[in-house]
Amino acid sequence: MVSVEKWTMWDSAVEVDVTEGAASPAARALTAAVVADTEAVCDLGRGAAEIHAVNLAQGTPVKVTHRMGDLLRSALWAARMTNGVVNPLADNFSEDESIPPIHAAVTFEDVQLDGDVVFAPWGASFDIAGIAKANTVDRAARSVAATLQCGAAVRIGDVIATAGHAPAGGWQMSVPAGGAARLSGGGVVELVNGTAMATAREPAGSSWAPRSDRSSGQWVQVSVIAADAVWAYAAAEAARLSGGLEWLEQQRLRARLVDRFGRVHTTGDWFTPQAR
């Protein structure tokens, strides 16, 4: 019997499921602590968040905490894996493309991270909330499973990770609604224990959103199952923005995509739990 705790943190719905009912309160406390730890260092809405010191450095090396360094490494790794489509740098764009930029554009490849010291050139400004939440999901699931010796599934928003031992019947996870299944939900898919799933959606108001958030392809929603939440999140966002079904097949990822006409497409092994 899986016990479930749900609440809201960091502007997101948070959920932790555990295979041992007695572990549920402690699992909630552990998960909340991990979320709070991450939010405190990288939430741009917090004036005291460490990420502001990184963004204000502007060409000066700055020493960061272990947690901040871990989050930046995840963000830079995701950028490399998606060829920069999932970008850790904020897009300081202008709607008037006839106005040339004052300085050369900075990319994630210009950022250097050596141990606990990060160097980003002038003009770089990090916004890593999405990847940070995915990293937090992975970390919280592992922490709950290891500390409480139970199976755990942790969700923040549309990103979920599993760890420990699976419940009887496996981890049966609901997929966010989209496409032809919109009225009844996106169905249920089984996650192999220790894997993760993320869903990327086209943001509301995309006509005025930064270019990095605008969909340039045919997909309005993409769900991806991967070995961890960071990769699932990065792959889902990359596929929604530019990669698509063929790219996901090349990466050997289980995926479900919804196109602009509401039609649902899946990779060949979407319904095969053994696939990783």
Side-chain angles (χ1 to χ4, degrees):
M1 181 73 177
V2 174
S3 295
V4 180
E5 293 273 354
K6 297 182 180 181
W7 68 102
T8 300
M9 284 185 75
W10 200 358
D11 301 321
S12 300
V14 180
E15 177 181 328
V16 57
D17 304 356
V18 290
T19 56
E20 304 293 337
S24 193
R28 174 174 177 146
L30 281 169
T31 301
V34 175
V35 175
D37 182 38
T38 306
E39 183 182 9
V41 300
C42 73
D43 181 7
L44 289 171
R46 288 191 171 208
E50 185 181 4
I51 195 167
H52 292 301
V54 177
N55 286 341
L56 289 171
Q58 294 298 300
T60 302
V62 59
K63 187 173 182 179
V64 296
T65 61
H66 176 76
R67 186 65 183 135
M68 188 78 249
D70 181 51
L71 294 171
L72 288 173
R73 283 187 179 84
S74 288
L76 293 171
W77 178 86
R80 289 193 298 272
M81 292 294 290
T82 61
N83 199 28
V85 175
V86 178
N87 188 3
L89 301 179
D91 186 359
N92 299 315
F93 72 103
S94 169
E95 288 291 348
D96 186 352
E97 297 187 355
S98 67
I99 301 175
I102 298 175
H103 299 277
V106 177
T107 75
F108 73 92
E109 295 178 319
D110 298 314
V111 178
Q112 300 174 32
L113 188 57
D114 183 8
D116 59 357
V117 176
V118 59
F119 171 81
W122 196 97
S125 180
F126 290 95
D127 183 354
I128 60 172
I131 280 292
K133 289 182 180 182
N135 176 291
T136 299
V137 168
D138 280 328
R139 187 182 184 199
R142 291 193 299 265
S143 177
V144 170
T147 303
L148 304 177
Q149 295 297 294
C150 64
V154 175
R155 180 194 301 264
I156 299 179
D158 288 330
V159 183
I160 185 168
T162 63
H165 56 267
W171 291 111
Q172 303 294 322
M173 297 300 172
S174 60
V175 181
R182 185 177 292 109
L183 296 179
S184 59
V188 174
V189 66
E190 182 178 344
L191 297 188
V192 173
N193 199 49
T195 62
M197 179 172 68
T199 296
R201 310 178 195 231
E202 185 174 59
S206 59
S207 62
W208 51 262
R211 280 191 290 269
S212 60
D213 288 336
R214 299 178 189 173
S215 178
S216 58
Q218 68 185 103
W219 311 110
V220 297
Q221 180 173 304
V222 179
S223 299
V224 172
I225 295 172
D228 57 67
V230 169
W231 183 214
Y233 170 86
E237 286 289 353
R240 181 184 67 81
L241 290 166
S242 65
L245 186 60
E246 182 178 353
W247 182 80
L248 290 166
E249 291 275 18
Q250 291 172 352
Q251 302 299 321
R252 298 183 179 180
L253 293 169
R254 295 169 64 190
R256 175 185 184 272
L257 305 87
V258 181
D259 67 23
R260 294 191 174 279
F261 298 99
R263 297 173 300 201
V264 175
H265 308 253
T266 62
T267 54
D269 57 0
W270 171 247
F271 294 105
T272 306
Q274 291 73 27
R276 284 182 180 267

